[in-house]
Amino acid sequence: MKQLIIAEKPSVARDIAKVLGATNKTKNYIEGKNVIVTWALGHLLGLKMPEDYNSAWAQWEMNSLPMIPKKVGIKPLPKTRPQLKAISQLANRQDVSEAVIATDAGREGELVARWILQYVKFKKPVKRLWISSQTDKAIKQGFNQLKPAKDYDDLYASALARAEADWLVGLNVTRALTVKYKDSLSAGRVQTPTLAMVRRQEEKIETFKPENYFTLDLESMGVKGRLQLKNPKQYKNRQDIENLVTSFKGKPVKVTNISVKEKKEYAPLPYDLTEIQREANARYQYSAKKTLSLVQRLYEIHKIVTYPRTDSKYLTTDMKQTMSERLSAMMQMAPQIVKPLVKQGAVVKQTKVFQNSKVTDHHGLIPTEQVARLEKLDNDEMRIYQMIVERFLGLFLNANITRHETIEATINDSTFIFKHSRVLEAGWKLKDALPKNTIKASVGDKIEGQFIINKEVTSPQPPLSESSLLGGMEKHNLGTPATRAEIIEKLISSELMERQSNKLSVTPKGKQLLKLVNPSLVTPELTQEWELSLEKIAQGKLKSDTFIKGIEKETTRLVNEIKTSEDKYVDHALTSKPCPDCQSPLREKRTRDGKIYVCSSDSCRYSRRKDPKVSNKRCPQCKKKMAILENKNGSYFKCSGCQYTEKLEKGKKGKKKMSKHEERKLVKKYNQAEEMESPLALALKAAMEKE
C-alpha cells in the first residue's frame, strides 16, 4: 500500500520525492515503491462565487445585497482543473491507504490541502508533515515524525473562518460601493485600514506648517554642547536668544556634573518575515512582495534558509543541538568570524533566543545546515541571504559594550550638555566606531568657548515607505506576515494607492473611497478583533460558527450603511475625450501593459492604449525604436524620430519562436511558484471582471 503525499508546489514535491526514493515521474505526480507524491499549484480550489449559490446574484444589483449563503462551498479554479482531476484519480486508487498533507506548514497551507481532500471526498486516514526547512535532513526527520491531521483541525477551522469572513465582507461591501457609485471600488477589513494609514500620514504632511526657531551651542575644544530646554523650540525670535547670550558675558561656565554609564547591547534576534521585509525595503528599496519571493526561493529552491512566513523571532530549545552544524555551513560566507566560533564550540551568547513559549507555528528565520552554493544565487538573493546570515552569526558573538560620558556645564540658570561615547568592546557589531573629540574636564572646572546660535526649521514627517507601512500593519495586527505583501500589491493594482520610488501615496480614487466606505472599516480595530478571534479558533478556544454568525450580522450592517449613505462620488479617471464609437467619455485605466482608455458606457467595449506601445523593432533610417500604432487599416510601425512608417504584417505578431532565454525565464517563473493570490483575491478579481 502507498501514501499519497500532497505538496503545495511542484518544486517541493520533487524534493520530497527525491528524499523518499520516488523516481517514476509523470505529468501530475512522482511515484515510488511506497509513495505517490503529487502537488497543488498554490490553490486548486476557491470559495464559490455569488452566482454559484443564487442565479439572481449574478447581476450586480443593490437589492440583492447582502449576499449571505446558507452554507459556503468550494469549486475548482479554472486553470488548475487538470491537476485537481489527477489528484482525484490518485486518491481513489485501490493501492492508496492514506494521505499525507505536505503543504506549507501554516494556516493557508492547511486550507490548500484540506479543500483538495474535501473535494475528492478522501475517506482514508490523513497525516500531517510539519517542517520548517526543505533540506533532505529536515524532510527525513519530518516523515519520521508525522502527526495525525486531526491535531490541526483547529488550524483548518481558523483558515476557513478567515476565508469565509473575507468573502462575506469583501464581496458584499465591494459590490455595494461599486453599484452605488458606478465605479470599481474595492474594500475590505484589512486593505481599507491599511490604505487609511497611508492617507493619515499624507494629511499630516499636507496640514504641516514649518516653524523657525533658534538653538544655542557652546563650542569648546572643537566639541559642541547644546543648551538644554524643556521646549527645544522655545526661542522663536532671534533677539530673545541673543539677549540670553548677552547675559552670559563675563560669567564663567562651570562643570557641575559628570556621569559615566556603560551600555551592553546584545545582538538582535533572528528575523521574522515582516522585519526582513521592512529592512530590505529600507536598505535596497525592495517591495514586500519581492522580498517574500526572494526568501521563498532561498527556502524552496536553494534550501539554505528556514520557512519564511513566520511571525516569531525565537527558536525552540531542541534546536540548540543543530546550531553548530548551521554555523559550520556559514564558513564560506565569513571564515574569519566562523572558524574561531566553531573552535570555541559554537556557543550561543544570545541565550534568550531559545524560548519555546514564543514560537508559534514556526521559529525565527535562520540558515539551514546546508552549505550554500553561492554561484547559484543572483544578486538579490545574495543580499537577502547575507542579511539572514548576519543576524544568525550575531547570536554567537559577544555583546557590544560602549562607554557613555555626559558632562553638564552651567552658567547662570542655563545648562549645556556635552556627550561622548566610546566603544569598549565591539562584540557583534565587529568594527569599532571612530572615537569622537571630547572635552577633558572635572567637576568645578571652567570651560572656555564660544556661543553659536543656530537657526532651525521644523520639517514634516516623510511619506510612508513600504517599510514603515509594514511596521504599522504589524503594530495594528493588519493581516499576517504571509499576506501583508499581497495586501499592499492589491491596493496598488486597484488604483487606490501608488508607489513612487520608495514612497506610498493614496490616489484621488483612494481618497474618495476612504470617505465613502463604512467608518468601522477605516480603522484597524475591526481587524484586530477578527485576528484575535481567529487565533482563538486556532487554539480551540472559540467555535468558528460563533465567529461567522457575528460576521454575517456585521456584513448586513455595513451594506445597509452604504445603501442609505448620501455621499457623492466623482470619477477622477473619466477624461474629456469622447469614445469614437458611442461618444461617451473615455475612462483612463492602468494595466500591466501600461495605461489605456476604455469607454465608460456599460454597453460599449471600445478601448485603446493611452500611449503608443514601443516595440523592439528599429527604424531602418535612424535606428530608433519604433512605436506600434493602429488606425482603421490595422496596425503599423512609426518612428518618433524621423516619422518613418512601416506596415505591421498581419499574423506576424506573436508567432516569433520563443528564445532559449524566454523559455528559461518561463520555466523559472513556474518552478519558483511565486506566491499565489488568496482565494478572496481570486474571487474579487473574477467578480470585478464580470462587473
Side-chain angles (χ1 to χ4, degrees), residues 500-527:
Q500 297 176 337
S501 184
N502 196 33
K503 305 301 179 185
L504 300 172
S505 61
V506 179
T507 64
K509 181 178 180 178
K511 292 173 185 176
Q512 287 194 92
L513 174 70
L514 291 172
K515 294 178 180 178
L516 300 173
V517 78
N518 314 74
S520 61
L521 283 179
V522 175
T523 60
E525 283 75 16
L526 178 65
T527 289

PDB file of all heavy atoms in Angstrom, residues 500-527:
ATOM      1  N   GLN A 500       5.722  55.358  -5.630  1.00  0.00           N
ATOM      2  CA  GLN A 500       6.639  56.199  -6.382  1.00  0.00           C
ATOM      3  C   GLN A 500       7.990  56.154  -5.698  1.00  0.00           C
ATOM      4  O   GLN A 500       8.103  56.590  -4.555  1.00  0.00           O
ATOM      5  CB  GLN A 500       6.118  57.640  -6.455  1.00  0.00           C
ATOM      6  CG  GLN A 500       4.797  57.751  -7.205  1.00  0.00           C
ATOM      7  CD  GLN A 500       4.231  59.165  -7.185  1.00  0.00           C
ATOM      8  OE1 GLN A 500       4.561  59.948  -6.313  1.00  0.00           O
ATOM      9  NE2 GLN A 500       3.391  59.476  -8.152  1.00  0.00           N
ATOM     10  N   SER A 501       8.977  55.615  -6.409  1.00  0.00           N
ATOM     11  CA  SER A 501      10.273  55.351  -5.803  1.00  0.00           C
ATOM     12  C   SER A 501      10.031  54.437  -4.608  1.00  0.00           C
ATOM     13  O   SER A 501       9.529  53.335  -4.770  1.00  0.00           O
ATOM     14  CB  SER A 501      10.940  56.667  -5.405  1.00  0.00           C
ATOM     15  OG  SER A 501      12.240  56.414  -4.901  1.00  0.00           O
ATOM     16  N   ASN A 502      10.333  54.893  -3.406  1.00  0.00           N
ATOM     17  CA  ASN A 502      10.093  54.045  -2.236  1.00  0.00           C
ATOM     18  C   ASN A 502       9.010  54.634  -1.335  1.00  0.00           C
ATOM     19  O   ASN A 502       8.886  54.252  -0.175  1.00  0.00           O
ATOM     20  CB  ASN A 502      11.394  53.873  -1.433  1.00  0.00           C
ATOM     21  CG  ASN A 502      11.318  52.718  -0.459  1.00  0.00           C
ATOM     22  OD1 ASN A 502      10.657  51.724  -0.729  1.00  0.00           O
ATOM     23  ND2 ASN A 502      11.975  52.848   0.679  1.00  0.00           N
ATOM     24  N   LYS A 503       8.218  55.561  -1.867  1.00  0.00           N
ATOM     25  CA  LYS A 503       7.178  56.225  -1.084  1.00  0.00           C
ATOM     26  C   LYS A 503       5.792  55.827  -1.589  1.00  0.00           C
ATOM     27  O   LYS A 503       5.586  55.614  -2.784  1.00  0.00           O
ATOM     28  CB  LYS A 503       7.337  57.748  -1.160  1.00  0.00           C
ATOM     29  CG  LYS A 503       8.717  58.242  -0.739  1.00  0.00           C
ATOM     30  CD  LYS A 503       9.070  57.839   0.682  1.00  0.00           C
ATOM     31  CE  LYS A 503      10.456  58.311   1.084  1.00  0.00           C
ATOM     32  NZ  LYS A 503      10.862  57.817   2.416  1.00  0.00           N
ATOM     33  N   LEU A 504       4.861  55.738  -0.657  1.00  0.00           N
ATOM     34  CA  LEU A 504       3.487  55.353  -0.987  1.00  0.00           C
ATOM     35  C   LEU A 504       2.563  56.551  -0.857  1.00  0.00           C
ATOM     36  O   LEU A 504       2.720  57.370   0.054  1.00  0.00           O
ATOM     37  CB  LEU A 504       3.023  54.234  -0.053  1.00  0.00           C
ATOM     38  CG  LEU A 504       3.844  52.943  -0.095  1.00  0.00           C
ATOM     39  CD1 LEU A 504       3.407  52.001   1.022  1.00  0.00           C
ATOM     40  CD2 LEU A 504       3.714  52.254  -1.450  1.00  0.00           C
ATOM     41  N   SER A 505       1.601  56.637  -1.751  1.00  0.00           N
ATOM     42  CA  SER A 505       0.619  57.720  -1.691  1.00  0.00           C
ATOM     43  C   SER A 505      -0.747  57.188  -2.100  1.00  0.00           C
ATOM     44  O   SER A 505      -0.855  56.170  -2.786  1.00  0.00           O
ATOM     45  CB  SER A 505       1.031  58.878  -2.606  1.00  0.00           C
ATOM     46  OG  SER A 505       1.097  58.434  -3.964  1.00  0.00           O
ATOM     47  N   VAL A 506      -1.788  57.884  -1.663  1.00  0.00           N
ATOM     48  CA  VAL A 506      -3.168  57.485  -1.961  1.00  0.00           C
ATOM     49  C   VAL A 506      -3.639  58.251  -3.192  1.00  0.00           C
ATOM     50  O   VAL A 506      -3.446  59.466  -3.296  1.00  0.00           O
ATOM     51  CB  VAL A 506      -4.087  57.768  -0.752  1.00  0.00           C
ATOM     52  CG1 VAL A 506      -5.528  57.373  -1.060  1.00  0.00           C
ATOM     53  CG2 VAL A 506      -3.594  57.011   0.479  1.00  0.00           C
ATOM     54  N   THR A 507      -4.253  57.562  -4.123  1.00  0.00           N
ATOM     55  CA  THR A 507      -4.755  58.182  -5.348  1.00  0.00           C
ATOM     56  C   THR A 507      -6.042  58.952  -5.053  1.00  0.00           C
ATOM     57  O   THR A 507      -6.675  58.751  -4.004  1.00  0.00           O
ATOM     58  CB  THR A 507      -5.054  57.120  -6.414  1.00  0.00           C
ATOM     59  OG1 THR A 507      -6.119  56.280  -5.933  1.00  0.00           O
ATOM     60  CG2 THR A 507      -3.825  56.271  -6.708  1.00  0.00           C
ATOM     61  N   PRO A 508      -6.478  59.845  -5.957  1.00  0.00           N
ATOM     62  CA  PRO A 508      -7.772  60.519  -5.763  1.00  0.00           C
ATOM     63  C   PRO A 508      -8.918  59.530  -5.561  1.00  0.00           C
ATOM     64  O   PRO A 508      -9.825  59.767  -4.758  1.00  0.00           O
ATOM     65  CB  PRO A 508      -7.940  61.313  -7.064  1.00  0.00           C
ATOM     66  CG  PRO A 508      -6.539  61.593  -7.513  1.00  0.00           C
ATOM     67  CD  PRO A 508      -5.761  60.369  -7.139  1.00  0.00           C
ATOM     68  N   LYS A 509      -8.862  58.411  -6.274  1.00  0.00           N
ATOM     69  CA  LYS A 509      -9.886  57.377  -6.106  1.00  0.00           C
ATOM     70  C   LYS A 509      -9.844  56.803  -4.692  1.00  0.00           C
ATOM     71  O   LYS A 509     -10.882  56.588  -4.052  1.00  0.00           O
ATOM     72  CB  LYS A 509      -9.664  56.274  -7.142  1.00  0.00           C
ATOM     73  CG  LYS A 509     -10.678  55.146  -7.105  1.00  0.00           C
ATOM     74  CD  LYS A 509     -10.369  54.151  -8.223  1.00  0.00           C
ATOM     75  CE  LYS A 509     -11.353  53.000  -8.233  1.00  0.00           C
ATOM     76  NZ  LYS A 509     -11.081  52.054  -9.346  1.00  0.00           N
ATOM     77  N   GLY A 510      -8.624  56.558  -4.192  1.00  0.00           N
ATOM     78  CA  GLY A 510      -8.472  56.016  -2.845  1.00  0.00           C
ATOM     79  C   GLY A 510      -8.950  56.985  -1.777  1.00  0.00           C
ATOM     80  O   GLY A 510      -9.555  56.578  -0.772  1.00  0.00           O
ATOM     81  N   LYS A 511      -8.674  58.279  -1.976  1.00  0.00           N
ATOM     82  CA  LYS A 511      -9.122  59.293  -1.008  1.00  0.00           C
ATOM     83  C   LYS A 511     -10.649  59.312  -0.909  1.00  0.00           C
ATOM     84  O   LYS A 511     -11.214  59.429   0.186  1.00  0.00           O
ATOM     85  CB  LYS A 511      -8.606  60.668  -1.422  1.00  0.00           C
ATOM     86  CG  LYS A 511      -7.098  60.820  -1.314  1.00  0.00           C
ATOM     87  CD  LYS A 511      -6.627  62.145  -1.896  1.00  0.00           C
ATOM     88  CE  LYS A 511      -5.097  62.233  -1.904  1.00  0.00           C
ATOM     89  NZ  LYS A 511      -4.619  63.474  -2.542  1.00  0.00           N
ATOM     90  N   GLN A 512     -11.290  59.202  -2.057  1.00  0.00           N
ATOM     91  CA  GLN A 512     -12.760  59.186  -2.038  1.00  0.00           C
ATOM     92  C   GLN A 512     -13.297  57.924  -1.377  1.00  0.00           C
ATOM     93  O   GLN A 512     -14.272  57.973  -0.630  1.00  0.00           O
ATOM     94  CB  GLN A 512     -13.296  59.289  -3.465  1.00  0.00           C
ATOM     95  CG  GLN A 512     -13.141  60.660  -4.074  1.00  0.00           C
ATOM     96  CD  GLN A 512     -13.977  60.789  -5.328  1.00  0.00           C
ATOM     97  OE1 GLN A 512     -15.120  61.223  -5.297  1.00  0.00           O
ATOM     98  NE2 GLN A 512     -13.401  60.378  -6.431  1.00  0.00           N
ATOM     99  N   LEU A 513     -12.653  56.794  -1.680  1.00  0.00           N
ATOM    100  CA  LEU A 513     -13.109  55.531  -1.091  1.00  0.00           C
ATOM    101  C   LEU A 513     -13.116  55.614   0.433  1.00  0.00           C
ATOM    102  O   LEU A 513     -14.049  55.161   1.093  1.00  0.00           O
ATOM    103  CB  LEU A 513     -12.200  54.388  -1.546  1.00  0.00           C
ATOM    104  CG  LEU A 513     -12.481  53.031  -0.890  1.00  0.00           C
ATOM    105  CD1 LEU A 513     -13.800  52.464  -1.392  1.00  0.00           C
ATOM    106  CD2 LEU A 513     -11.360  52.049  -1.138  1.00  0.00           C
ATOM    107  N   LEU A 514     -12.086  56.230   1.002  1.00  0.00           N
ATOM    108  CA  LEU A 514     -11.987  56.320   2.458  1.00  0.00           C
ATOM    109  C   LEU A 514     -13.111  57.165   3.049  1.00  0.00           C
ATOM    110  O   LEU A 514     -13.472  56.997   4.216  1.00  0.00           O
ATOM    111  CB  LEU A 514     -10.626  56.898   2.864  1.00  0.00           C
ATOM    112  CG  LEU A 514      -9.423  55.980   2.598  1.00  0.00           C
ATOM    113  CD1 LEU A 514      -8.121  56.720   2.854  1.00  0.00           C
ATOM    114  CD2 LEU A 514      -9.502  54.714   3.442  1.00  0.00           C
ATOM    115  N   LYS A 515     -13.675  58.075   2.250  1.00  0.00           N
ATOM    116  CA  LYS A 515     -14.798  58.883   2.722  1.00  0.00           C
ATOM    117  C   LYS A 515     -16.134  58.176   2.513  1.00  0.00           C
ATOM    118  O   LYS A 515     -17.102  58.414   3.234  1.00  0.00           O
ATOM    119  CB  LYS A 515     -14.810  60.232   1.995  1.00  0.00           C
ATOM    120  CG  LYS A 515     -13.613  61.107   2.340  1.00  0.00           C
ATOM    121  CD  LYS A 515     -13.638  62.414   1.567  1.00  0.00           C
ATOM    122  CE  LYS A 515     -12.427  63.282   1.923  1.00  0.00           C
ATOM    123  NZ  LYS A 515     -12.398  64.544   1.141  1.00  0.00           N
ATOM    124  N   LEU A 516     -16.177  57.299   1.501  1.00  0.00           N
ATOM    125  CA  LEU A 516     -17.429  56.623   1.167  1.00  0.00           C
ATOM    126  C   LEU A 516     -17.630  55.328   1.955  1.00  0.00           C
ATOM    127  O   LEU A 516     -18.761  54.936   2.243  1.00  0.00           O
ATOM    128  CB  LEU A 516     -17.453  56.288  -0.333  1.00  0.00           C
ATOM    129  CG  LEU A 516     -17.359  57.472  -1.304  1.00  0.00           C
ATOM    130  CD1 LEU A 516     -17.230  56.967  -2.732  1.00  0.00           C
ATOM    131  CD2 LEU A 516     -18.576  58.375  -1.177  1.00  0.00           C
ATOM    132  N   VAL A 517     -16.534  54.664   2.295  1.00  0.00           N
ATOM    133  CA  VAL A 517     -16.625  53.354   2.927  1.00  0.00           C
ATOM    134  C   VAL A 517     -17.059  53.505   4.386  1.00  0.00           C
ATOM    135  O   VAL A 517     -16.921  54.573   4.989  1.00  0.00           O
ATOM    136  CB  VAL A 517     -15.269  52.619   2.831  1.00  0.00           C
ATOM    137  CG1 VAL A 517     -14.289  53.148   3.870  1.00  0.00           C
ATOM    138  CG2 VAL A 517     -15.437  51.116   2.971  1.00  0.00           C
ATOM    139  N   ASN A 518     -17.565  52.432   4.944  1.00  0.00           N
ATOM    140  CA  ASN A 518     -18.043  52.435   6.326  1.00  0.00           C
ATOM    141  C   ASN A 518     -16.920  52.830   7.290  1.00  0.00           C
ATOM    142  O   ASN A 518     -15.813  52.308   7.191  1.00  0.00           O
ATOM    143  CB  ASN A 518     -18.551  51.047   6.701  1.00  0.00           C
ATOM    144  CG  ASN A 518     -19.445  50.460   5.625  1.00  0.00           C
ATOM    145  OD1 ASN A 518     -18.954  50.042   4.583  1.00  0.00           O
ATOM    146  ND2 ASN A 518     -20.729  50.446   5.865  1.00  0.00           N
ATOM    147  N   PRO A 519     -17.201  53.720   8.232  1.00  0.00           N
ATOM    148  CA  PRO A 519     -16.172  54.171   9.179  1.00  0.00           C
ATOM    149  C   PRO A 519     -15.494  53.028   9.931  1.00  0.00           C
ATOM    150  O   PRO A 519     -14.302  53.083  10.209  1.00  0.00           O
ATOM    151  CB  PRO A 519     -16.955  55.085  10.140  1.00  0.00           C
ATOM    152  CG  PRO A 519     -18.110  55.580   9.327  1.00  0.00           C
ATOM    153  CD  PRO A 519     -18.474  54.448   8.417  1.00  0.00           C
ATOM    154  N   SER A 520     -16.240  51.979  10.247  1.00  0.00           N
ATOM    155  CA  SER A 520     -15.652  50.875  11.010  1.00  0.00           C
ATOM    156  C   SER A 520     -14.630  50.096  10.198  1.00  0.00           C
ATOM    157  O   SER A 520     -13.805  49.369  10.758  1.00  0.00           O
ATOM    158  CB  SER A 520     -16.748  49.918  11.505  1.00  0.00           C
ATOM    159  OG  SER A 520     -17.461  49.357  10.422  1.00  0.00           O
ATOM    160  N   LEU A 521     -14.660  50.229   8.860  1.00  0.00           N
ATOM    161  CA  LEU A 521     -13.671  49.553   8.016  1.00  0.00           C
ATOM    162  C   LEU A 521     -12.410  50.394   7.829  1.00  0.00           C
ATOM    163  O   LEU A 521     -11.404  49.899   7.323  1.00  0.00           O
ATOM    164  CB  LEU A 521     -14.264  49.231   6.640  1.00  0.00           C
ATOM    165  CG  LEU A 521     -15.213  48.031   6.556  1.00  0.00           C
ATOM    166  CD1 LEU A 521     -15.726  47.871   5.133  1.00  0.00           C
ATOM    167  CD2 LEU A 521     -14.520  46.756   7.002  1.00  0.00           C
ATOM    168  N   VAL A 522     -12.474  51.669   8.213  1.00  0.00           N
ATOM    169  CA  VAL A 522     -11.329  52.553   8.029  1.00  0.00           C
ATOM    170  C   VAL A 522     -10.322  52.394   9.158  1.00  0.00           C
ATOM    171  O   VAL A 522      -9.125  52.533   8.959  1.00  0.00           O
ATOM    172  CB  VAL A 522     -11.802  54.023   7.924  1.00  0.00           C
ATOM    173  CG1 VAL A 522     -10.619  54.979   7.848  1.00  0.00           C
ATOM    174  CG2 VAL A 522     -12.695  54.195   6.692  1.00  0.00           C
ATOM    175  N   THR A 523     -10.802  52.091  10.347  1.00  0.00           N
ATOM    176  CA  THR A 523      -9.906  51.942  11.500  1.00  0.00           C
ATOM    177  C   THR A 523      -9.502  50.476  11.650  1.00  0.00           C
ATOM    178  O   THR A 523     -10.223  49.574  11.218  1.00  0.00           O
ATOM    179  CB  THR A 523     -10.601  52.409  12.787  1.00  0.00           C
ATOM    180  OG1 THR A 523     -11.779  51.619  13.001  1.00  0.00           O
ATOM    181  CG2 THR A 523     -11.001  53.874  12.676  1.00  0.00           C
ATOM    182  N   PRO A 524      -8.354  50.223  12.289  1.00  0.00           N
ATOM    183  CA  PRO A 524      -7.865  48.842  12.397  1.00  0.00           C
ATOM    184  C   PRO A 524      -8.523  48.018  13.502  1.00  0.00           C
ATOM    185  O   PRO A 524      -8.259  46.826  13.605  1.00  0.00           O
ATOM    186  CB  PRO A 524      -6.373  49.029  12.690  1.00  0.00           C
ATOM    187  CG  PRO A 524      -6.277  50.353  13.362  1.00  0.00           C
ATOM    188  CD  PRO A 524      -7.363  51.202  12.783  1.00  0.00           C
ATOM    189  N   GLU A 525      -9.397  48.629  14.300  1.00  0.00           N
ATOM    190  CA  GLU A 525      -9.958  47.905  15.442  1.00  0.00           C
ATOM    191  C   GLU A 525     -10.733  46.658  15.027  1.00  0.00           C
ATOM    192  O   GLU A 525     -10.645  45.613  15.672  1.00  0.00           O
ATOM    193  CB  GLU A 525     -10.869  48.825  16.273  1.00  0.00           C
ATOM    194  CG  GLU A 525     -10.132  49.804  17.168  1.00  0.00           C
ATOM    195  CD  GLU A 525      -9.529  50.970  16.397  1.00  0.00           C
ATOM    196  OE1 GLU A 525      -9.938  51.190  15.235  1.00  0.00           O
ATOM    197  OE2 GLU A 525      -8.632  51.647  16.940  1.00  0.00           O
ATOM    198  N   LEU A 526     -11.512  46.764  13.940  1.00  0.00           N
ATOM    199  CA  LEU A 526     -12.310  45.623  13.490  1.00  0.00           C
ATOM    200  C   LEU A 526     -11.412  44.430  13.145  1.00  0.00           C
ATOM    201  O   LEU A 526     -11.667  43.297  13.562  1.00  0.00           O
ATOM    202  CB  LEU A 526     -13.158  46.008  12.274  1.00  0.00           C
ATOM    203  CG  LEU A 526     -14.017  44.882  11.667  1.00  0.00           C
ATOM    204  CD1 LEU A 526     -15.083  44.439  12.652  1.00  0.00           C
ATOM    205  CD2 LEU A 526     -14.658  45.338  10.357  1.00  0.00           C
ATOM    206  N   THR A 527     -10.350  44.710  12.404  1.00  0.00           N
ATOM    207  CA  THR A 527      -9.427  43.638  12.021  1.00  0.00           C
ATOM    208  C   THR A 527      -8.715  43.059  13.234  1.00  0.00           C
ATOM    209  O   THR A 527      -8.489  41.847  13.311  1.00  0.00           O
ATOM    210  CB  THR A 527      -8.403  44.173  11.000  1.00  0.00           C
ATOM    211  OG1 THR A 527      -9.070  44.400   9.780  1.00  0.00           O
ATOM    212  CG2 THR A 527      -7.291  43.178  10.765  1.00  0.00           C
TER     213      THR A 527
END
